[in-house]
Amino acid sequence: MEKRTQISVILNNAPGELAKLCDVLKSAEVNILGMSIQNAKDSVKELYNMREKTERRIALAESYRSILKDSSDYSLIRLLVDKPMEAEKVLLQANHLLDKDQVLVFKLVNQPGMLGKIAKRFGEAKINIDYIYGSAMEEAQESIFVVHISESDMGRIEEIFKDL
């Protein structure tokens, strides 16, 4: 496990935008190691549907409809790259809106139950996982998972995963 910098970029939700982002990174010889793309509109829809399923009224339906309308033009791209400082520089030069976060990167043996072992340690330590993304090819020996937790919990991680 290691701490790394993740870059989050807001992109227009339109054909060709991801290709443009990739071209910007390629121009600086920045390699994408992991990526998550989330359509903002779909996220709002999921929240709205969850409020119905859980019978919790987090906000008025009108609020969700308003946010849904505003968010339909954008996607959130989370990137783990090999050169985060260079990526930030060229993305800002290309006028992209971005943010940076510390994330945890786990390289795990690619076999059933490995992610569950990691998740169990977080749970036992009472640390909530905000989100996670990752993958492996079916025949690969290792998988990679990017985990985001609260900044306040980041200092406790070294002790929890000292044997990894």
Side-chain angles (χ1 to χ4, degrees):
M1 184 265 322
E2 64 179 306
K3 294 178 185 177
R4 301 282 299 263
T5 299
Q6 170 187 268
I7 298 174
S8 299
V9 182
I10 300 293
L11 280 185
N12 288 326
N13 189 16
E17 291 300 308
L18 179 60
K20 290 177 193 174
L21 176 95
C22 290
D23 285 345
V24 169
L25 294 174
K26 179 184 173 190
S27 72
E29 297 185 14
V30 173
N31 191 28
I32 299 170
L33 306 174
M35 177 189 298
S36 168
I37 301 176
Q38 186 170 16
N39 179 308
K41 181 179 177 181
D42 291 342
S43 297
V44 174
K45 278 184 185 177
E46 288 173 22
L47 286 171
Y48 183 78
N49 290 336
M50 282 305 210
R51 82 181 204 126
E52 296 299 320
K53 290 177 183 174
T54 62
E55 299 179 359
R56 292 179 61 202
R57 302 287 186 229
I58 301 167
L60 297 174
E62 295 80 35
S63 296
Y64 281 104
R65 282 193 286 275
S66 174
I67 294 169
L68 188 63
K69 183 180 178 219
D70 291 342
S71 64
S72 62
D73 295 333
Y74 302 101
S75 290
L76 172 65
I77 314 297
R78 292 183 174 121
L79 297 165
L80 181 68
V81 296
D82 63 344
K83 300 181 220 168
M85 290 174 35
E86 289 89 338
E88 179 184 8
K89 179 181 172 187
V90 295
L91 290 169
L92 287 172
Q93 287 172 346
N95 296 317
H96 285 287
L97 298 174
L98 63 89
D99 196 11
K100 298 183 300 183
D101 281 308
Q102 287 293 304
V103 292
L104 304 170
V105 178
F106 290 88
K107 291 180 184 174
L108 304 173
V109 175
N110 187 20
Q111 65 185 34
M114 294 305 294
L115 181 58
K117 289 171 83 171
I118 298 300
K120 185 175 182 177
R121 285 197 193 185
F122 280 106
E124 289 170 345
K126 306 282 190 252
I127 295 176
N128 187 53
I129 297 172
D130 296 327
Y131 58 83
I132 185 170
Y133 58 93
S135 71
M137 296 301 293
E138 205 169 351
E139 300 300 320
Q141 302 222 350
E142 283 188 327
S143 60
I144 183 172
F145 286 94
V146 179
V147 179
H148 185 272
I149 61 172
S150 72
E151 204 173 308
S152 61
D153 286 329
M154 199 59 90
R156 300 174 42 210
I157 290 303
E158 306 261 337
E159 181 63 27
I160 295 164
F161 293 104
K162 63 184 173 195
D163 60 332
L164 285 184

